[in-house]
Each structure stands twice: as structure tokens, then as C-alpha cells.
């Protein structure tokens, strides 16, 4: 089978920035895809643009069951439980994935409903400060990491062929939209995104407030460093709350780490001989390592985009494949399935 | 006189990112400009590219005196005192400006040498994470704010015509490179840049360290929000030290403000009902205000770049002009001189 083609249609529940962009990408590649949007007007606008979209959840889920579509849950976390309940009722045997940015709480909801055997979690590391269907766009996921969880394969003695087929299809889904599937377990994912996604949001919000307090002079003087650093503060407050509050323990841990660094910097700058030597040097080294690992190639002048993530090709369900997933996870690698 | 043309040649001491870019811009507009670079190899490369550059400071300053050039000090803060001493000796009557990012310490050095009557401070809010002549470029200052200090005019009963002519020429210099001259006093400037430039650097360094500690998985998952937020951590550690350490009191104050916000966020996220509602909403409002004031127009789709800074046209030395400067400063405005 073509490693870049799913074996089933895709049904997207929730057509905001992520769900909408996914729908556009799949439709653009002529893969069978249909979706549901909570907002009647949003659903109508999408339908008017020629997409197969409706605003009645029962109908959409019933169709997903009939077509054995892969259901992608792309609603805010607060709505996930109720969508899962609807799926249990109207699409009791389909495969399920999601794009929610915190994975442990979703997995709890899945376990409460005993759906682990039909669920593979996902999280595309892509987005803009904008949200909603009208901001969704083709190509949003190109080159982005797309976390794919595999906890279930580590929790049971041997996963069945249905789950491995589902896992494969979720990986193929990410490949179809040119994202890079990174296998992770739920806890490792949540700890990592607290550091590299949720903490940056908290800092951006705080910096925006401090800059704003400087009044119009400070804002008028603000240049690239400030604008870049506060960009994600333009994200709707509800979305930031959802990310940070559902991942609170990991975000608190990351905050505690950065608070230690900031207090140390503050104290050494307040000393009779002000110094920020230690932090400036550590930060520069950290950033340089980061660029060497991920940034440099992506910013290459070459028109051919080369991924800096190591790739591991594996056959889901094959001998030792779960060890291969762990290995890929430990080196921040991406996978392809065959 | 054409408001965009200086009445004298320009002599740039130090050809790093800022000094080099200024030299390229002025030479590109055929304005007489020459410079000095500490590094012999850097000076040679610039000269090879056709620029009027030498590596002997005495010769360059003697020429500046003979031609009554406007001297632009573009060396790191640590070298400013010695450059001023050389200027006192070899160019005792020229006008002086500078591009150092913290203004109070430079002004102290100026006062220690009783040079206030021949000095107008400057600070272009432009830069990249790169440094040095080889990274300098034409057009770096287009649309950027360029702080121009006027403390001297508030310290004496009436400034003489030489100082007002110098002030005018510094404003014209900024206009020639398409920057926007913003009148500020030294203390207000340093407090403002602590918030919108130095604090972002401290945060970026700290975030880079916390992200790096997340290991290769976290870095591989890092997307736009993390990369944007840590971009300026790529600035050479010495430059960050210079900025933050010479402006330590204002940076400590800004750090204290953000520490209060971060501790509050941490505590409310660690509560039994985790919440980040307050910060998320305050940050979003602050960012939205900021965009309305400065970002929105700059990001306009219109090919004609319209400044969002209010403009005040004034005649230096004219009746009430110092009040006009204060007024422009209080509203984060830019000035043009006639």
C-alpha cells in the first residue's frame, strides 16, 4: 500500500484552525473527507466553498460509522468528553484520533470510556495566533512535527491488528499533509509541550503586560525582539487557558524552573557589580544547540526542505516495533510506516 | 534646506551590525561618509568593497575634525569612554552622536568630559541576532524607531545654535536611512528599553535553557512559538551582557514586575482548580492594544508602509520647541525638523 495514503475516509469533528486546515489539505489531495462544525454559520461557509460539511453531529457520526471513517476530534478540550459520548453512541466501531494539545486528559477520557483499543492520540505542532475556520489554510502542517501517541501498545501484551492498522493510518494522515509523525507517550508529550509551547505562551502574556505598562513611549520604541516575543499573546485567551490549565502540573514545573533562572538573573543584576554572564552564556549555548538540531536546516536557503529529524521506517505490529517507537521517541525522531 | 540631508559628512566609529549598516545606507545615498573599524581585517574587507574605511583611529578622527563631520560612536559600551577621550584629543570641536542601547551611562561619560554641548544621543531600535560588519546591510533601519535624546535642551536656559544644528542633523541622519526619530530623555529611554528590549532578551535566554533541558524530544517538538520566543537568545552573550548590565537598575525593575505576574500565574495554575484566566486575558488585551498602536499598520497588506507613530514637525531652536519635544515623547511620536 502507498505509505502516504490512508485506507479509509476521514471525518473531522470541529473545523477551527486545525480541523479546518486538515480538511482543506485532505480535500486538496482528493482524499475522501467530511466534517462537522458546531457553528451553523461556519459550517455553511465551509459548505459554500464546496467542502463536505454539516452542522448535525449525529448525522455526521452515523455516516462515519457507515463508512468506517477515521474520526479526528478537533474540538477544544472542554468539548471532547461530550464528543466521545456521541461517538460511543453513533459511531461505536470507528478508529479515533484527536489534535488536542494536552494528551493526558484526553487519554483519561478515552480510558473512562474503554476506548483505548480504537484510539491513537495526535497533536500537530502547528498553528498561528489566529483561530476559526476562516483562518484555516492549506499547507499549515508542512514540515511540522505531529505527535502520535502509542501508550496503548505499551499497556497491553500484544495489540491487535485493528489498532496497528489505526496507528498506521494516523501516521499516513500526518504524511498526507506533509507533517512529520513523532511517536511519543502521553506523559512525555505533555511535559515537553509545557516547556516549548505552554511556557512560551505564559511568558508572552506576561511580557505583553509589562510592555503595555511602559505606556505609549515603550510601545512605540518596541522593535522585533518584543514583537516576536509577544506574538503568541495574540492567541485568544480561552485557547491559552485550555492549553495551560489542562496541562497545569507540567506547566507549573516548567514555570518553577524558569523562575529559578529569572530570580538568579535578577539578583546578579541587582548586585553591586551587575552581571548576567551566566544566563547569557547558558542561553546562547542552548539556542545554538537548538538551531543546530532543528532550526538550521529548516532555514536553509535550499528550496528543497530537508527535515532535521532522524527518520525511522517501521512496520506497525512487526517484530520489536514498540521498541522502535521508544527509540524514535528518545531521539526526537519521526517515523514512516510500511 | 532639504529636511532629509545633513549639512555635514558623517564619520562612523565602529563598523559592526549597526555602524556598518549605517555606513552602507549613507554611502548608498551618496552622502559623504567614512569610518573606522577596530578590526584590521574588518576594515580591509569594507575598504575592498569600496567603502572609505580605515583602521587608524587618530587619522580618522583628525579627518573628522578637519571636515567637521558628525561623529557617530557605534562601538560597544565598554569602548565608549576611550573613544570619547580620543575624540577630545583629535576631534575637539565636532558634533557627536552614538547608537549605544543604554543612554544614561553614555551621558554620564559625556558629562564627565563636559561634552554635553556637542552631543545628541541616539539609539536605533533595529538589529538582528547577528553582529559584525559582515552581517551589516542596507535598509536595516527602514521604519525603525530611532531614539534621539534631548536632555541638554532641558538642562540649560537656552541652547546655542550649534547644539540645535547638531540636533537637527542627527534627526536628518535618521531620516536619511528611513528611520523615525523619536525624541526621548535618557532616563525615559532606558526605562522603556528595559521593558521592551532587555527584558525580552532575559526571557529568551531563560526559555532557551528550559527548552534545552527538555532534551531532544522537546526540541524536536518545538514549533513557531518557541522559536520566535528564543530567537534573540542567538545574540552573542557579550552584547546581551552589555545591554542588560549597563541598564541593570531598569532591567531589575522590569524583572521584578514580570516576576510578580509569573508567580501569580504559577500559583493559580497550582491551585486545586488550575486557572490562568487573569493573565491570559490581560496579556491578550495588552497585545491587542500594542497591535492597534504599532503593529497593525506595519503588517498592512498595502505596499506603501505607513507609520503608526504620530508625527510632529518642528523647528529646532524655535519658540517652544523643547515643549514640543516633550509632547512628542509623551505620545511616543516621531519628529521631523525644518
Amino acid at each position: 500500500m502507498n505509505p502516504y495514503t490512508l485506507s479509509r475516509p476521514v471525518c473531522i469533528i470541529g473545523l477551527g484552525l486545525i480541523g479546518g486546515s486538515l480538511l482543506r489539505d485532505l480535500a486538496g489531495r482528493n482524499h475522501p473527507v467530511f466534517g462537522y462544525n458546531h457553528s451553523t454559520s461556519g459550517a455553511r461557509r465551509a459548505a459554500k466553498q464546496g467542502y463536505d460539511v454539516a452542522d448535525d453531529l449525529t448525522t455526521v457520526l452515523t455516516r462515519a460509522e457507515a463508512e468506517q471513517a477515521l474520526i479526528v476530534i478537533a474540538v477544544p478540550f472542554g468539548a471532547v468528553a461530550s464528543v466521545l459520548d456521541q461517538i460511543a453512541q453513533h459511531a461505536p466501531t470507528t478508529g479515533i484520533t484527536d489534535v488536542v494539545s494536552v494528551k493526558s486528559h484526553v487519554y483519561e477520557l478515552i480510558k473512562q470510556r474503554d476506548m483505548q483499543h480504537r484510539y491513537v492520540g495526535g497533536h500537530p505542532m502547528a498553528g498561528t495566533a489566529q483561530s476559526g475556520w476562516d483562518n484555516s489554510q492549506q499547507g499549515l502542517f508542512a514540515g511540522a512535527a505531529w505527535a502520535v501517541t502509542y501508550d496503548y501498545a505499551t499497556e497491553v501484551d500484544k495489540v491487535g491488528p485493528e489498532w496497528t492498522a489505526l496507528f498506521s493510518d494516523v501516521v499516513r494522515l500526518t504524511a498526507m499533509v506533509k507533517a512529520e509523525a513523532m511517536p511519543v507517550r502521553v506523559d512525555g508529550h505533555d511535559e515537553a509541550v509545557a516547556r516549548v509551547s505552554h511556557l512560551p505562551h505564559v511568558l508572552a502574556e506576561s511580557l505583553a503586560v509589562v510592555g503595555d505598562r511602559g505606556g505609549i513611549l515603550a510601545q512605540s520604541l518596541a522593535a522585533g525582539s518584543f514583537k516576536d516575543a509577544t506574538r503568541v499573546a495574540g492567541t485568544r485567551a480561552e485557547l491559552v487557558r485550555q492549553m495551560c490549565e489542562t496541562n497545569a502540573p507540567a506547566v507549573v514545573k516548567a514555570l518553577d524552573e524558569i523562575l529559578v533562572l529569572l530570580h538568579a538573573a535578577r539578583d546578579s543584576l541587582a548586585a553591586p557589580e551587575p552581571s548576567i554572564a551566566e544566563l547569557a552564556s547558558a542561553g546562547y549555548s542552548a539556542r545554538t544547540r537548538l538551531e543546530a538540531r532543528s532550526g538550521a536546516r529548516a532555514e536553509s536557503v535550499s528550496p528543497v526542505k530537508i527535515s532535521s529529524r532522524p527518520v525511522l521506517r517501521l512496520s506497525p505490529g512487526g517484530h520489536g516495533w514498540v521498541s522502535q517507537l521508544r527509540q524514535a521517541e528518545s531521539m526526537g525522531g519521526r517515523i514512516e510506516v510500511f
Side-chain angles (χ1 to χ4, degrees), chain A:
Chain A
M1 184 195 292
N2 182 332
Y4 299 108
T5 308
L6 284 83
S7 60
R8 46 190 130 183
V10 174
C11 165
I12 305 173
I13 306 300
L15 300 173
L17 177 72
I18 301 295
S21 299
L22 185 60
L23 181 89
R24 290 180 197 267
D25 264 2
L26 294 173
R29 302 199 60 167
N30 294 316
H31 188 82
V33 58
F34 57 100
Y36 158 81
N37 204 26
H38 180 67
S39 138
T40 305
S41 63
R44 202 173 298 149
R45 281 200 301 284
K48 237 185 186 165
Q49 290 165 47
Y51 295 103
D52 191 352
V53 169
D55 65 355
D56 181 72
L57 186 54
T58 306
T59 310
V60 171
L61 290 178
T62 305
R63 176 176 168 194
E65 179 69 14
E67 299 184 10
Q68 282 295 300
L70 168 60
I71 294 180
V72 182
I73 303 176
V75 298
F77 174 73
V80 170
S82 109
V83 167
L84 288 176
D85 289 337
Q86 295 291 308
I87 291 173
Q89 200 180 338
H90 303 291
T93 70
T94 61
I96 305 168
T97 186
D98 74 308
V99 295
V100 177
S101 66
V102 179
K103 304 263 53 87
S104 53
H105 282 35
V106 174
Y107 202 46
E108 253 170 60
L109 298 178
I110 290 284
K111 283 178 163 171
Q112 283 165 10
R113 288 159 183 80
D114 209 13
M115 286 172 154
Q116 302 96 295
H117 64 286
R118 54 183 295 214
Y119 170 78
V120 170
H123 178 213
M125 304 301 296
T128 69
Q130 308 304 318
S131 52
W133 165 261
D134 294 328
N135 290 300
S136 66
Q137 53 190 266
Q138 276 197 32
L140 182 69
F141 309 108
W146 190 310
V148 179
T149 66
Y150 64 94
D151 297 61
Y152 182 62
T154 70
E155 291 162 358
V156 293
D157 276 350
K158 191 166 167 43
V159 295
E162 279 181 24
W163 193 86
T164 55
L166 173 62
F167 183 87
S168 298
D169 267 355
V170 172
V171 172
R172 289 190 188 104
L173 175 74
T174 71
M176 276 193 75
V177 299
K178 301 194 191 309
E180 306 193 342
M182 287 182 55
V184 290
R185 277 159 292 177
V186 161
D187 289 345
H189 169 275
D190 288 357
E191 213 250 347
V193 295
R195 287 177 191 274
V196 299
S197 170
H198 304 160
L199 180 59
H201 275 88
V202 176
L203 294 181
E205 310 279 7
S206 307
L207 181 59
V209 171
V210 173
D212 190 47
R213 284 192 196 148
I216 199 162
L217 173 67
Q219 291 149 37
S220 195
L221 283 169
S225 62
F226 185 76
K227 283 174 188 161
D228 280 0
T230 55
R231 182 181 61 84
V232 295
T235 309
R236 268 172 43 222
E238 307 91 271
L239 295 178
V240 176
R241 290 191 58 181
Q242 228 141 44
M243 292 190 296
C244 296
E245 293 172 4
T246 54
N247 200 21
V251 178
V252 168
K253 205 178 143 224
L255 268 168
D256 283 340
E257 276 191 33
I258 205 162
L259 281 167
V260 169
L261 295 172
L262 291 173
H263 275 288
R266 185 243 175 253
D267 290 345
S268 66
L269 277 174
E273 290 272 335
S275 170
I276 195 168
E278 205 176 322
L279 179 62
S281 144
Y284 180 76
S285 307
R287 170 71 195 183
T288 307
R289 269 193 294 277
L290 187 89
E291 263 173 22
R293 281 179 189 160
S294 68
R297 290 201 194 166
E299 286 155 20
S300 155
V301 290
S302 159
V304 182
K305 199 167 148 54
I306 302 166
S307 171
S308 59
R309 299 181 186 99
V311 62
L312 217 145
R313 301 196 70 228
L314 58 85
S315 177
H319 177 72
W321 80 289
V322 179
S323 305
Q324 289 179 297
L325 292 177
R326 285 185 206 271
Q327 196 192 335
E329 177 177 0
S330 72
M331 60 189 194
R334 63 196 169 98
I335 55 168
E336 287 175 359
V337 295
F338 63 90

